[in-house]
Amino acid sequence: MTQPPEEAPGAAAAAAWRSRFVSLFDRAPVALAISDAYGLILGANPAFASAWQLQPGKLEGRRLLDILTPTNDRQLRRLDEALRSRRRSRYPVEVSWQVRGAARHGRVTVEPVSDPQDDVPRLLVSLTEEPGAGRSEQPPEDPADGLGPQEARILPLVAAGASGAAIAREVGLTVDGVNYHVTRLCRRLGVPNRPALVARAYVLGLLDPTAWPPRAAAAGPERP
């Protein structure tokens, strides 16, 4: 009588590690999801699904860009270029999303990861929500409040098309510091990205419509 073939030691070890990974993935306090290279969600842990007040299985089969809205176009382009050229690193992207009418804001970090069974790497996605970002969306502040001094320096440079690095050099901040101020302005004015921010700033009178290079119309008191 023939005996069933024994499982190769390497395959058994791989299966054990895969099972251990799944257990750690589900129990991790960090919000994590795994997607294919095109952003199709293959799995999400409870911490990730809770950002939408859902059970983990409810997110499987959905696309990341259907549930998350990137708010920094430059970061998104960098991630897209990295995936096309198959570069391996960690790529942060600032995002917003909606939960029962409330806008939330945070950052996803996308990292291509290898699997011996896959030719194309999958993506490990971690989500960090900004503190207090679960509040209902507030209407834009009164434009009569104007811009703080730092905002009055950054917004015209954004309107002129300067890169984050160029703005950082001009105003003496880090790129992350510039992105922080731009993201705050986007939230205050209720817009999803930089082009919309510039357009709305002109409509609200925060930028001088007669000036080129762009110039702030007025500067308000210092904001925290």
Side-chain angles (χ1 to χ4, degrees):
M1 183 176 179
T2 58
Q3 298 292 327
E6 293 184 4
E7 189 174 14
W17 276 108
R18 190 180 294 271
S19 176
R20 186 174 303 176
F21 168 78
V22 170
S23 176
L24 292 173
F25 178 79
D26 285 341
R27 293 163 54 189
V30 179
L32 298 172
I34 296 176
S35 80
D36 66 11
Y38 305 100
L40 184 70
I41 298 173
L42 305 174
N45 71 357
F48 191 93
S50 69
W52 286 266
Q53 300 178 11
L54 295 173
Q55 296 297 316
K58 296 293 186 180
L59 290 176
E60 292 182 13
R62 300 183 65 178
R63 295 193 178 276
L64 290 168
L65 289 179
D66 290 339
I67 62 174
L68 292 167
T69 302
T71 57
N72 187 312
D73 291 339
R74 187 174 64 86
Q75 291 176 331
L76 188 62
R77 287 195 300 270
R78 181 168 176 260
L79 171 60
D80 183 63
E81 292 167 1
L83 293 178
R84 290 177 184 276
S85 60
R86 299 196 176 187
R87 294 198 301 269
R88 302 297 181 90
S89 187
R90 305 181 71 194
Y91 300 93
V93 180
E94 293 159 4
V95 294
S96 65
W97 65 99
Q98 292 281 331
V99 181
R100 297 183 180 179
R104 300 195 177 195
H105 304 270
R107 171 179 292 192
V108 293
T109 300
V110 181
E111 182 174 3
V113 292
S114 297
D115 188 314
Q117 298 180 0
D118 296 326
D119 293 331
V120 179
R122 296 184 179 182
L123 306 179
L124 178 64
V125 181
S126 61
L127 172 67
T128 303
E129 185 174 352
E130 291 182 2
R135 296 190 300 264
S136 298
E137 184 71 25
Q138 298 296 320
E141 295 181 25
D142 188 342
D145 289 344
L147 299 169
Q150 199 68 276
E151 295 170 340
R153 299 176 67 195
I154 291 173
L155 184 57
L157 294 170
V158 172
S163 68
I167 296 173
R169 289 193 298 270
E170 179 71 22
V171 302
L173 294 174
T174 64
V175 173
D176 283 344
V178 170
N179 289 338
Y180 167 78
H181 283 287
V182 172
T183 300
R184 284 192 69 189
L185 278 169
C186 285
R187 288 207 305 271
R188 282 177 52 208
L189 303 187
V191 295
N193 52 41
R194 293 188 181 201
L197 172 65
V198 173
R200 187 156 177 79
Y202 274 114
V203 169
L204 295 177
L206 298 175
L207 291 172
D208 185 347
T210 66
W212 187 266
R215 182 177 62 201
E222 182 68 65
R223 296 181 183 275

